[in-house]
Amino acid sequence: MGFNCVRLTWPLFLATKQSLASLTVRQSFQRLGLLESIAGFQANNPSMVDLPLISAYQAVVSGLADNNVMVILDNHLSKPGWCCSNFDGNGFFGDEYFNPDLWVQGLTQMATMFRGVTNVVGMSLRNELRGPKQNVKDWYRYMQKGAEAVHSANPDVLVIVSGLSYDTDLSFVLKQELELTFTGKLVFEMHWYGFTDGSAWETGSPNQVCGRVVESVMRRGGVLLEKGWPLFVSEFGVDQRGTNVNDNRYLNCFFGLAAELDFDWALWTLVGSYYTRQGVIGLEEFYGLLNWNWCEVRNSSFLQRISALQSPFQGPDLTYARPHKVIFHPATGLCIVRVSVFGPLTLGPCTESDAWSYTPQKTLIMKETYFCLQADGPGEPGKLGIICNEPGSKWESISDSKMHLSTKLGDGTTVCLDIDSSNNIVTNACKCLSRDNKCDPGSQWFKIVNATNISTRPLLQISSNLDLNGAEHAS
């Protein structure tokens, strides 16, 4: 499915309580009344069913290594269970199940256990700190201890640090950095879901909500990227059935920012169902990529759409980079491409995008050519032209979302970039700019994204038969 890393959760007690770690998979499932699941384990993974739980965890990491998949070990909570609430005893240092000394011991144990396991590339110190006891002073005190413990036990892994308020707030780090003995391997993590802002996406104007929420996300953590710190959005996700309006609108906004900032991310979740969750056996997970029985992808269009974000737009190796822009369409996960010089502009894989530049005069020019993006009028196809100072040739991001690309025509009419039913590029009257919460602007949301990983295609491929089609792109 195109993913290269798994954020693999573990409870603290698995590393610190021998009575739990030494339970076999079979015994654990028997205690939970999961007799059918034992039979499934026996049929599909007979070598694991009688392993102690801690050994089964190691076997999962090893299986991922065999398939060339990286792993981030995520201390999700202390007491095994479903996460999270303010009052579950797992939220902050000093809570019923969250002894700081035991936590440091557990981090050390896991870091030591996986030292030299090359596909384990990072350790996330704690998931979603929260609850009435949370405070900045103790955050610094204990996160520094945890980070140093992991580094001392395993100097080869990235140390991933979460913020406060369910991992939505890292703003305090801008005022005071962590004091650590090591450098070059500290990563900050944030979480961002549609429900983080309640039902705002459904009840409000998507343009206004996107602008407001992005401003908040940047202020509370995204700004770290601008300061040169690595930021990992270690949880985001949506109802994969595609029927949740709140999630669908949020996702368009998320994809736009994810492409623009080019941050690393982890999608919640792979699983289509749970052996048991909150007392329910076989509970279905509608945020899961897989369906209930884990045999098929729940929503293939989502998987296709997210593929554009599975490779970085920028880097990581910038030695031979040729900086340019691509024009990304969050609602489809595609970019503007040209079929041929004289053919229509359409949406296609971002790996096949042409390289664009965005000039101070606000023209979008195909790099190493004279061609710029132009508009003819409402309902007309977007086109390439060479007279780039005429009306319909200057583009700017408007609306609160900053994702409407608009231009003014010769008669004073303003139009926005849009797509038709075949994903061809057209221009139409700009929509959903008002406070109308029934209007979905998704088709008109575009992002001009910095990129380095797409080589410039020659505009003309001249051969003996004067083929005027664009050369095939190779990334």
Side-chain angles (χ1 to χ4, degrees):
M1 295 189 292
F3 297 95
N4 63 358
C5 187
V6 168
R7 176 177 177 255
L8 193 61
T9 62
W10 60 279
L12 180 62
F13 293 171
L14 182 65
T16 59
K17 292 187 180 295
Q18 184 61 23
S19 58
L20 176 62
S22 62
L23 269 183
T24 66
V25 173
R26 186 190 302 274
Q27 290 167 335
S28 175
F29 277 43
Q30 285 172 338
R31 289 188 178 191
L32 294 165
L34 298 170
L35 302 184
E36 282 190 35
S37 297
I38 295 174
F41 237 108
Q42 190 77 55
N44 295 292
N45 286 286
S47 63
M48 289 180 66
V49 72
D50 289 310
L51 289 180
L53 292 180
I54 190 66
S55 300
Y57 190 93
Q58 289 174 286
V60 171
V61 173
S62 177
L64 290 166
D66 291 343
N67 288 278
N68 199 32
V69 177
M70 296 180 286
V71 173
I72 290 169
L73 306 178
D74 164 52
N75 178 220
H76 212 64
L77 32 62
S78 298
K79 181 184 178 183
W82 177 252
C83 183
C84 299
S85 83
N86 280 330
F87 304 102
D88 59 11
N90 288 275
F92 199 72
F93 306 106
D95 278 359
E96 181 180 0
Y97 304 116
F98 199 170
N99 179 302
D101 295 330
L102 192 67
W103 173 70
V104 171
Q105 177 189 328
L107 288 174
T108 302
Q109 178 87 0
M110 292 294 278
T112 302
M113 181 181 302
F114 289 98
R115 181 169 180 161
V117 179
T118 55
N119 72 313
V120 175
V121 297
M123 286 189 63
S124 178
L125 300 188
R126 187 72 176 196
N127 173 69
E128 295 197 358
L129 294 165
R130 61 195 179 277
K133 290 185 179 179
Q134 64 177 339
N135 65 88
V136 170
K137 182 179 178 182
D138 283 341
W139 184 92
Y140 280 99
R141 177 185 177 188
Y142 293 119
M143 290 306 245
Q144 286 171 178
K145 283 187 177 181
E148 293 289 1
V150 167
H151 173 66
S152 178
N154 188 341
D156 296 327
V157 292
L158 297 169
V159 176
I160 304 171
V161 174
S162 62
L164 299 174
S165 301
Y166 290 84
D167 209 0
T168 62
D169 188 7
L170 284 159
S171 58
F172 51 89
V173 178
L174 295 170
K175 301 171 186 173
Q176 178 187 344
E177 293 183 14
L178 283 163
E179 296 179 6
L180 301 170
T181 61
F182 59 88
T183 59
K185 49 180 275 186
L186 180 67
V187 178
F188 292 98
E189 63 177 319
M190 282 189 78
H191 293 175
W192 179 18
Y193 288 96
F195 56 72
T196 303
D197 299 282
S199 59
W201 296 96
E202 183 173 7
T203 59
S205 158
N207 267 315
Q208 293 176 322
V209 175
C210 183
R212 183 179 75 244
V213 170
V214 165
E215 189 278 330
S216 174
V217 168
M218 293 302 295
R219 176 171 38 84
R220 292 160 69 91
V223 69
L224 292 174
L225 282 168
E226 297 176 356
K227 302 293 184 182
W229 292 98
L231 180 67
F232 171 41
V233 178
S234 57
E235 278 189 34
F236 84 98
V238 294
D239 187 329
Q240 292 284 330
R241 292 172 294 182
T243 56
N244 185 313
V245 173
N246 204 65
D247 274 1
N248 294 345
R249 292 176 171 181
Y250 143 82
L251 192 64
N252 286 341
C253 185
F254 177 92
F255 272 31
L257 191 65
E260 180 182 21
L261 299 183
D262 203 35
F263 51 63
D264 290 300
W265 48 265
L267 176 72
W268 187 278
T269 177
L270 175 69
V271 311
S273 59
Y274 300 89
Y275 294 118
T276 179
R277 171 178 146 185
Q278 297 168 293
V280 179
I281 291 177
L283 183 68
E284 187 162 8
E285 173 58 273
F286 294 117
Y287 275 54
L289 271 177
L290 299 176
N291 63 4
W292 180 83
N293 62 12
W294 294 50
C295 289
E296 297 170 341
V297 172
R298 188 180 295 274
N299 184 338
S300 59
S301 64
F302 176 87
L303 203 58
Q304 180 180 351
R305 183 177 167 193
I306 203 173
S307 64
L309 301 179
Q310 288 180 316
S311 297
F313 282 99
Q314 304 172 54
D317 180 8
L318 300 178
T319 309
Y320 304 103
R322 302 178 70 187
H324 57 274
K325 312 282 187 185
V326 296
I327 307 171
F328 178 68
H329 189 250
T332 58
L334 301 172
C335 289
I336 293 182
V337 300
R338 57 180 171 84
V339 178
S340 65
V341 177
F342 306 110
L345 293 169
T346 187
L347 292 178
C350 292
T351 52
E352 297 176 8
S353 171
D354 296 279
W356 297 82
S357 62
Y358 188 48
T359 72
Q361 294 75 36
K362 298 183 178 178
T363 55
L364 280 161
I365 297 177
M366 201 173 286
K367 292 195 76 169
E368 300 183 5
T369 78
Y370 297 107
F371 287 92
C372 62
L373 180 63
Q374 295 182 329
D376 267 345
E380 297 295 324
K383 67 176 186 179
L384 295 174
I386 58 173
I387 305 175
C388 299
N389 58 358
E390 64 183 13
S393 301
K394 298 183 185 301
W395 300 87
E396 56 183 319
S397 299
I398 63 166
S399 78
D400 290 352
S401 67
K402 298 292 188 288
M403 284 201 281
H404 280 89
L405 278 178
S406 75
T407 188
K408 185 171 286 190
L409 304 175
D411 61 1
T413 305
T414 297
V415 293
C416 279
L417 216 55
D418 204 342
I419 59 170
D420 66 15
S421 58
S422 300
N423 280 353
N424 291 317
I425 302 301
V426 296
T427 54
N428 283 313
C430 302
K431 64 181 181 181
C432 308
L433 302 186
S434 68
R435 296 179 179 272
D436 182 5
N437 68 345
K438 301 297 184 185
C439 189
D440 185 355
S443 73
Q444 289 191 349
W445 274 3
F446 290 83
K447 270 284 184 183
I448 301 172
V449 175
N450 290 322
T452 59
N453 64 342
I454 301 170
S455 60
T456 306
R457 298 197 301 183
L459 188 66
L460 299 181
Q461 176 183 313
I462 305 298
S463 64
S464 58
N465 62 354
L466 292 178
D467 175 14
L468 292 180
N469 289 321
E472 287 296 317
H473 168 71
S475 61

